Amino acid sequence: MSYIIDRRLNAKNKSMVNRQRFLRRYRSHIKKAVSEAVTRRSITDMENGEQISIPTKDITEPVFHHGPGGHQERVLPGNDQFVSGDRIPRPPGGGGGGGGSGDGSASNQGEGMDDFVFQITQDEFLDFMFEDLELPNLVKRQLSGNEEFKTRRAGVSNQGSPGQINIVRSLRSANARRIALTSGKRKKIKALEEELAALEAMDPALRDHKRIEAVLEEIAHLRAAVQRVPWLDDFDIKYNLQVKYPVPHSKAVMFCIMDVSGSMSQATKDMAKRFFILLYLFLQRNYERTDVVFIRHHTSAKEVEEEEFFYSRETGGTIVSSALYLMKDILEERYPASEWNVYGAQASDGDNWNDDSSTCSTLLINDILPKLQYYSYIEITPRQHQALWEEYETVAAAYPDCFAMQQIIDMGDIYPVFRELFQKKTA
């Protein structure tokens, strides 16, 4: 028996097919590990790779062996205990003995095996993290002045660059031209050759030598005329024609609205930041041409950069409508609904100033949601829902297809809630 061992290093994707097959086989283990990693990791370490541990019992290969019963005749080499007719006792437990418990647990006999541990890359980690997720209701829109063009084949042309020459079409054109220009002469040559053969077949005394010489001269003249037709002419050269066509893109903007008021504890803010980091990574990973607008608010709202959004310590009272008013102004100024797919995600603990919650629901219903593809509200609190949640329930009833609400109680709810909000809808 021959054993072939591939000792090549895993470089330049030499073993990529085997790796992909392995990842598909243990997909459930990897997805579970990814979900746990998202919960326990720090915010700055959210997008790195991960070590996956698979129990030994789950990586065993199937083995074919003889089952109980039946009649078997075997020759056992080196037998010095049994003779023909003896019964061989079955091993205890129905199979051969082996060292260790096989499941990695503590044992007082034999040797066990550790769980199988392997590393997935950053790209693989993000692929599993955002698998089967999408921005809901995404529509392709063609933007004037921002078109991107792709080239595609559009037949052949008589003009072009040397690198675009179509050799087959050029030779076909040259052959057709030669046939068209020489077909009449070739027919005459064939007729004259038949006449010459008939004249030469006559009795030498009866041959018309003058006619034979004339036929030979005319054949030579016609063949010379055929030879003067060029094999390839400039007119024959054909070029592959490439034309540009505009490609419509799904340009989208995501408004990330985070409550940083005094009622938001540090743990609540950390959970909100984790949610928005997941959302930001998801957009950067899965979509091109996606703008992200970061808005922080307490009593007043402010559009900020990414760094300030996640790490600023500014705080204050709570007026949620200030963020929605700012979002409305930015929409009217920079992101017309006819050209952009507009999305919003809001995270808050639900506390709001007096009657401001009704103002928020009115703003959403009348001014914001008619321009949006999807809006999600995440309330981060272990307590009962307050006025803002109750007002947003009326918004969800008015826009059931583009408004979603979820509650996050602890760190373990962030990733499941995120997947619930952006789960790919089946047609």
Side-chain angles (χ1 to χ4, degrees):
M1 179 181 294
S2 299
Y3 294 93
I4 301 176
I5 302 176
D6 185 359
R7 298 189 183 278
R8 296 175 298 178
L9 297 177
N10 188 11
K12 297 183 179 180
N13 296 330
K14 288 180 179 179
S15 299
M16 184 56 66
V17 175
N18 293 333
R19 182 173 181 83
Q20 293 301 322
R21 186 184 300 114
F22 178 83
L23 294 178
R24 288 194 300 269
R25 179 175 179 180
Y26 299 105
R27 179 173 298 275
S28 60
H29 292 282
I30 298 173
K31 293 186 70 172
K32 181 180 178 182
V34 168
S35 178
E36 294 173 350
V38 173
T39 302
R40 70 172 182 268
R41 285 186 175 190
S42 65
I43 292 176
T44 57
D45 196 34
M46 190 67 73
E47 60 178 328
N48 292 333
E50 177 67 13
Q51 277 195 344
I52 308 297
S53 177
I54 298 179
T56 306
K57 62 183 178 64
D58 291 326
I59 62 173
T60 55
E61 296 291 340
V63 177
F64 291 96
H65 58 84
H66 293 287
H71 176 72
Q72 302 177 20
E73 294 183 359
R74 293 182 293 174
V75 176
L76 303 178
N79 172 39
D80 59 358
Q81 300 179 14
F82 304 99
V83 297
S84 178
D86 288 349
R87 290 183 176 274
I88 302 176
R90 187 181 301 279
S101 60
D103 59 358
S105 59
S107 173
N108 62 354
Q109 57 180 345
E111 297 179 354
M113 294 182 64
D114 292 335
D115 290 349
F116 176 69
V117 179
F118 68 99
Q119 181 80 21
I120 60 174
T121 64
Q122 176 184 5
D123 288 341
E124 291 168 345
F125 181 82
L126 294 177
D127 285 340
F128 280 102
M129 185 188 298
F130 301 130
E131 186 180 34
D132 298 329
L133 300 182
E134 67 177 1
L135 287 175
N137 308 324
L138 191 66
V139 178
K140 288 188 177 181
R141 305 182 189 277
Q142 183 64 49
L143 301 181
S144 59
N146 288 319
E147 296 94 345
E148 179 177 328
F149 294 91
K150 287 188 177 181
T151 58
R152 63 183 177 190
R153 290 284 303 274
V156 295
S157 173
N158 291 328
Q159 296 179 347
S161 63
Q164 296 293 329
I165 291 179
N166 189 316
I167 297 177
V168 174
R169 295 296 292 268
S170 298
L171 294 178
R172 188 184 302 169
S173 177
N175 189 39
R177 177 184 53 80
R178 293 196 305 272
I179 291 174
L181 293 177
T182 63
S183 61
K185 297 181 179 63
R186 292 179 186 277
K187 289 180 180 179
K188 289 183 180 180
I189 291 174
K190 184 177 181 180
L192 290 173
E193 287 177 343
E194 291 176 353
E195 181 182 355
L196 179 62
L199 290 173
E200 290 179 344
M202 296 176 62
D203 186 271
L206 301 176
R207 288 178 183 172
D208 187 349
H209 294 284
K210 291 184 178 181
R211 179 56 185 166
I212 292 176
E213 291 178 0
V215 169
L216 289 174
E217 184 178 352
E218 189 173 358
I219 290 175
H221 176 73
L222 291 172
R223 284 180 174 171
V226 170
Q227 292 297 324
R228 284 195 297 270
V229 176
W231 188 81
L232 187 66
D233 194 84
D234 292 341
F235 176 79
D236 301 326
I237 300 178
K238 305 299 179 184
Y239 301 88
N240 292 323
L241 180 60
Q242 304 280 346
V243 297
K244 291 183 177 181
Y245 68 98
V247 180
H249 281 281
S250 301
K251 294 194 69 171
V253 56
M254 174 66 75
F255 285 83
C256 297
I257 303 173
M258 182 166 62
D259 185 356
V260 292
S261 61
S263 63
M264 294 275 289
S265 65
Q266 188 60 44
T268 306
K269 290 179 182 178
D270 285 343
M271 285 190 279
K273 291 176 183 179
R274 281 176 176 271
F275 177 85
F276 283 119
I277 285 177
L278 279 179
L279 180 57
Y280 184 67
L281 290 175
F282 167 64
L283 295 175
Q284 296 299 312
R285 177 72 176 175
N286 291 25
Y287 295 94
E288 297 178 355
R289 299 173 175 266
T290 303
D291 286 2
V292 182
V293 178
F294 297 103
I295 297 176
R296 291 167 58 97
H297 76 88
H298 37 82
T299 54
S300 62
K302 181 172 65 171
E303 181 182 0
V304 297
E305 298 295 330
E306 175 188 347
E307 183 75 16
E308 185 176 355
F309 182 82
F310 288 109
Y311 300 108
S312 176
R313 295 182 177 273
E314 182 182 1
T315 184
T318 309
I319 299 180
V320 178
S321 62
S322 61
L324 298 181
Y325 276 117
L326 178 58
M327 178 181 178
K328 177 176 175 289
D329 294 339
I330 294 174
L331 274 175
E332 294 174 351
E333 180 182 351
R334 306 203 312 250
Y335 300 104
S338 60
E339 298 179 358
W340 289 82
N341 293 279
V342 185
Y343 295 86
Q346 178 185 354
S348 173
D349 63 349
D351 286 341
N352 198 11
W353 179 262
N354 293 339
D355 297 331
D356 186 62
S357 298
S358 60
T359 304
C360 294
S361 62
T362 302
L363 269 173
L364 284 171
I365 292 174
N366 297 333
D367 300 318
I368 296 179
L369 284 178
K371 303 176 183 178
L372 264 61
Q373 303 298 113
Y374 187 70
Y375 191 95
S376 57
Y377 170 66
I378 304 95
E379 188 164 290
I380 308 173
T381 177
R383 305 187 303 271
Q384 292 183 350
H385 301 302
Q386 301 187 38
L388 187 60
W389 179 279
E390 295 174 358
E391 288 290 339
Y392 277 3
E393 285 180 337
T394 63
V395 179
Y399 290 91
D401 295 330
C402 64
F403 188 87
M405 303 168 59
Q406 290 288 337
Q407 181 182 10
I408 293 177
I409 297 177
D410 54 34
M411 204 76 74
D413 296 333
I414 298 175
Y415 186 60
V417 165
F418 178 80
R419 292 195 64 88
E420 178 68 23
L421 290 173
F422 297 98
Q423 187 68 36
K424 183 178 293 185
K425 301 296 189 296
T426 57

